Amino acid sequence: MSQPPEHQPYSTLEVSEQDPETFQKEVIQYPDHSIPQTVPLEQAAAGATHSYYSPESAKEVVNPPQNVYAGAGALPVYKDPNQTAYQNAAAYHNGAGYPPSTGYTDASAYPNSAYPNSNSAYPTSAGSPVDSNAYGPGTIAATEHGSQYPQQDEKAAPAARICGLPKRTFFIILGVGIVVIALVAGLAGGLASKNHHGSNAADQSESSGSSGSNSGSGSPNDPASANSTEKLILSNSKITASNWTDPNGVVHRTVFFQDAYNSIIARRWDSNSKSWTTNNLTELMAATTMPLNPQPGTPLASASMDRDPNYETHVWFTDPSNTIRSMASFDALNRPDSWDNDTLDGAVLQTWPGGQLAAMWQRCWQADCNGTWIVAYQRPEGAIKTANSSTWATATVAVESKNVAANSSLAIVPQLNGTWLDRLELVSERVNSDRTGAMRLTNYNGTWNGADQRVTELQSDIPLPSPSQQFAATKWDSWNQALYIALLQGGAIQGNHWDGKQMNAVSSFKFNSGPENNFTAIAMSPDAMFYGISNDEILEYSLDTNDPSNFNYVGRVFP
């Protein structure tokens, strides 16, 4: 086994004394009593808008602070038609901040099948077909005595009978029988129709919620949602992906995006079941005291850890105040459906409005070290910083403001340090002129000090940053080869391949087979898988490591 380096490894938290931004401490702690609570109904009726418990035993309505939640302001109280007050919801009374959604069989909370519920229409009875007023004693011709009745010594003719029953009784029974038969026939037909449509809906839901694969995550033969014109993916949704391997060698992949209701969705796949399952993270947190409120089109970044016995997956996003938030599956091996709020130890990490995120899990060589989570983001003043889970609140400048474009796309991947995988590479964009920029690679070698001297220019004269422009990166060949790609404004993809010895430009990429694509968002996982949002679908491709300009279609991730 290789010995650890003689010198102590530097932390990503090291800060240059010459760094003009080192004075910035991004720690803002909020005491528990500053979190708005649901207003009791009797207080809501009296006009109260927030209730703050300080302490919990003293439940009185007090004046709320002016900035309870960074950038968010006080949340309004909403009432439903039944006059029930709701709080901690952005706009809807279901508490999640988004329209309620029903779910597929895998609890994904996507729109149901287009098949309508078939409530059979029972035939409406018009009453008995027999007019009861038409029967009874008929008019008898008057006798010579002027009476309508026979004389005492005459016998009345016996009443006519049908099947041994008087006519009136027979026809009443017949009418009732006809109505009953009609009702039974209508009920049977309605149930049969309902079961038929329910079966079709279940089949469609099952095919949308999971998909098989022969050699990868998806299935090229998955049925598309061409029957519905309803949008399933948010039009400006970003995408991110990560992977990990369990003790039995089973590969697990997770893809995150936002659905049409602005919810953060996690789609999970493993090489054992070869099927996709769904977790709606926003819906999972809707009823908690910390509901999610991602901004529409939020930047997304994710990473996974697979250091036995710890297996975790994390995702980072921003809220409307441009503050970084996080959700995590802290026991991805045994409880993959369980997701919790990762508080980042209370740190408040503010981003440039519209800025992007990138994340990774950094391994370490020490036997008792689980490594650290690292998130790269652009600060409001412009510098690119990396925040580290060892102390989230203290972030380090990686790229100074003068060397980065506003709203720069970001990508981050591990880098070898001899035999150890405890370094990293950061991809960002610098402004070349008022019209073009450059895609650049900055190396972290134990410190960010002097990082501006360790820069490799990947792509020059690319468009300046835009909401649709995104970077992605991956590695293979035991972390010796790498691919860095950029989705440019207009949909073109170009990048660079590091073959272990030199950097090679790739002017275009070929996506073999699969549906016609028009990517609006892209991501790559550390195991050389490509994911893209195209035409309201998420498509999966594997990188051809023999020719990194080629991607081979694997299948449809969603729907």
Side-chain angles (χ1 to χ4, degrees):
M1 176 183 295
S2 301
Q3 296 297 322
E6 295 180 357
H7 63 281
Q8 285 295 107
Y10 290 91
S11 166
T12 56
L13 300 175
E14 180 175 341
V15 182
S16 168
E17 296 180 358
Q18 288 76 33
D19 189 337
E21 300 185 25
T22 55
F23 67 91
Q24 296 173 5
K25 298 294 183 180
E26 302 178 291
V27 184
I28 302 177
Q29 299 289 346
Y30 296 101
D32 291 339
H33 66 268
S34 69
I35 301 176
Q37 308 293 328
T38 301
V39 179
L41 294 180
E42 65 274 11
Q43 295 178 2
T49 59
H50 289 78
S51 178
Y52 296 84
Y53 298 170
S54 178
E56 184 71 16
S57 59
K59 299 183 178 180
E60 61 179 359
V61 178
V62 299
N63 293 326
Q66 295 302 311
N67 189 10
V68 175
Y69 197 56
L75 298 178
V77 177
Y78 297 91
K79 293 185 179 182
D80 65 11
N82 296 322
Q83 300 301 312
T84 302
Y86 296 89
Q87 187 143 16
N88 290 341
Y92 300 95
H93 66 262
N94 64 352
Y98 311 104
S101 57
T102 52
Y104 288 131
T105 54
D106 61 355
S108 63
Y110 301 123
N112 257 335
S113 163
Y115 290 104
N117 291 330
S118 178
N119 295 324
S120 61
Y122 296 110
T124 303
S125 172
S128 170
V130 181
D131 185 357
S132 60
N133 295 325
Y135 297 88
T139 301
I140 302 176
T143 65
E144 60 180 347
H145 302 288
S147 173
Q148 295 182 355
Y149 303 101
Q151 299 181 19
Q152 295 294 327
D153 58 348
E154 292 180 350
K155 293 183 179 180
R161 291 177 175 269
I162 300 177
C163 295
L165 297 172
K167 282 186 177 182
R168 181 174 181 176
T169 303
F170 172 81
F171 283 113
I172 289 175
I173 294 176
L174 178 62
V176 172
I178 292 173
V179 172
V180 170
I181 292 173
L183 290 175
V184 172
L187 179 60
L191 291 176
S193 175
K194 184 176 181 179
N195 290 336
H196 173 70
H197 288 297
S199 175
N200 287 343
D203 290 344
Q204 180 177 353
S205 175
E206 182 177 357
S207 65
S208 299
S210 62
S211 60
S213 174
N214 294 325
S215 59
S217 302
S219 171
N221 297 321
D222 286 347
S225 57
N227 294 332
S228 174
T229 59
E230 181 180 6
K231 286 289 187 180
L232 301 178
I233 300 175
L234 193 67
S235 60
N236 61 341
S237 173
K238 304 301 187 295
I239 187 173
T240 182
S242 67
N243 67 278
W244 55 280
T245 304
D246 68 24
N248 297 319
V250 177
V251 177
H252 299 256
R253 296 179 180 131
T254 309
V255 178
F256 300 90
F257 64 99
Q258 283 180 286
D259 70 4
Y261 299 108
N262 202 47
S263 298
I264 294 181
I265 307 299
R267 288 282 277 175
R268 297 182 292 103
W269 177 93
D270 67 78
S271 58
N272 187 23
S273 67
K274 291 183 171 58
S275 62
W276 290 96
T277 56
T278 304
N279 294 122
N280 185 324
L281 305 191
T282 302
E283 194 167 79
L284 287 175
M285 299 297 292
T288 71
T289 58
M290 300 183 70
L292 301 189
N293 185 23
Q295 60 176 305
T298 175
L300 293 171
S302 63
S304 295
M305 174 174 65
D306 52 4
R307 188 178 186 280
D308 194 50
N310 299 306
Y311 298 90
E312 301 180 13
T313 295
H314 292 235
V315 61
W316 292 267
F317 57 95
T318 58
D319 64 16
S321 68
N322 298 304
T323 301
I324 298 176
R325 305 296 176 191
S326 179
M327 286 286 288
S329 175
F330 290 106
D331 188 2
L333 180 62
N334 301 306
R335 300 170 59 215
D337 290 310
S338 176
W339 293 82
D340 298 296
N341 200 312
D342 182 0
T343 64
L344 306 180
D345 298 331
V348 177
L349 305 177
Q350 205 81 14
T351 71
W352 182 285
Q356 300 300 308
L357 301 176
M360 59 169 277
W361 171 55
Q362 185 185 37
R363 296 159 177 80
C364 68
W365 51 268
Q366 296 177 350
D368 59 346
C369 175
N370 287 327
T372 54
W373 305 98
I374 297 176
V375 177
Y377 64 103
Q378 188 168 23
R379 279 282 302 163
E381 68 276 1
I384 303 297
K385 285 192 170 185
T386 56
N388 186 302
S389 61
S390 58
T391 54
W392 281 116
T394 305
T396 307
V397 173
V399 183
E400 295 181 3
S401 303
K402 64 180 181 179
N403 294 323
V404 64
N407 295 321
S408 171
S409 298
L410 299 172
I412 192 169
V413 287
Q415 181 186 26
L416 283 171
N417 175 31
T419 58
W420 308 106
L421 194 64
D422 58 357
R423 298 293 186 257
L424 59 88
E425 297 173 334
L426 175 66
V427 183
S428 61
E429 183 175 359
R430 178 180 180 174
V431 176
N432 283 343
S433 66
D434 60 346
R435 295 185 178 182
T436 64
M439 181 181 179
R440 310 170 82 218
L441 177 69
T442 304
N443 290 295
Y444 169 82
N445 66 351
T447 178
W448 287 116
N449 293 339
D452 57 347
Q453 304 300 316
R454 303 188 300 273
V455 175
T456 302
E457 187 165 295
L458 301 175
Q459 293 285 322
S460 60
D461 297 326
I462 66 173
L464 293 175
S466 68
S468 61
Q469 187 162 300
Q470 296 150 54
F471 297 161
T474 191
K475 290 198 171 185
W476 68 97
D477 187 21
S478 300
W479 305 95
N480 286 297
Q481 297 193 57
L483 181 67
Y484 315 93
I485 62 175
L487 172 65
L488 305 178
Q489 188 174 5
I493 298 179
Q494 59 191 54
N496 295 77
H497 168 221
W498 172 257
D499 63 9
K501 297 180 181 179
Q502 64 180 11
M503 193 71 74
N504 306 290
V506 183
S507 59
S508 63
F509 292 87
K510 183 178 181 181
F511 291 86
N512 299 313
S513 68
E516 182 179 355
N517 59 69
N518 179 28
F519 296 118
T520 57
I522 63 170
M524 296 190 75
S525 61
D527 61 345
M529 301 298 290
F530 173 97
Y531 300 91
I533 297 178
S534 174
N535 302 319
D536 206 36
E537 298 177 330
I538 297 178
L539 307 178
E540 181 184 42
Y541 297 80
S542 62
L543 176 67
D544 183 348
T545 55
N546 294 318
D547 181 2
S549 66
N550 282 310
F551 291 96
N552 298 314
Y553 181 65
V554 176
R556 183 178 293 106
V557 174
F558 177 82

